[in-house]
Amino acid sequence: DGFSFNGVDGLGHQDFLQKIRHEAFKQGKTRDNTWMADLTALHLSGEALTWFETLPDDVQQNWNQLKRAIIQKYSRQNTESAPN
């Protein structure tokens, strides 16, 4: 499936995470945290890929940690741009 997440425009982070979960389900890999983290990395581009490369290795290699980092980064980014 040809999708990517750049963290700036296009696919939002929640939709991106759901696409990763869907692909893992199709492949029977929903319990494989390393596989899901690797899949996530393959579908990052631009600013999101640059950000990913700065994360510690243990976060890059573990889906549970990586999805939390994505939510924290991109949920906060969305609220920072909203008017107070």
Side-chain angles (χ1 to χ4, degrees):
D1 201 349
F3 64 94
S4 68
F5 176 70
N6 65 25
V8 178
D9 55 19
L11 193 62
H13 75 280
Q14 293 172 328
D15 291 336
F16 174 68
L17 294 176
Q18 193 61 22
K19 283 185 174 286
I20 296 296
R21 287 185 190 102
H22 182 72
E23 186 62 31
F25 181 79
K26 287 194 314 189
Q27 300 295 327
K29 297 284 193 174
T30 56
R31 302 281 184 244
D32 189 335
N33 282 328
T34 303
W35 188 91
M36 290 180 72
D38 289 346
L39 178 66
T40 301
L42 289 173
H43 289 280
L44 295 173
S45 63
E47 183 180 294
L49 180 59
T50 301
W51 167 78
F52 171 84
E53 295 295 346
T54 69
L55 294 172
D57 289 347
D58 61 324
V59 176
Q60 288 184 17
Q61 298 166 8
N62 183 289
W63 165 248
N64 286 325
Q65 293 181 42
L66 180 55
K67 73 179 175 188
R68 287 185 199 108
I70 290 170
I71 291 166
Q72 182 178 24
K73 166 80 172 158
Y74 292 101
S75 291
R76 185 177 67 233
Q77 189 176 70
N78 292 341
T79 58
E80 284 175 0
S81 63
N84 289 336

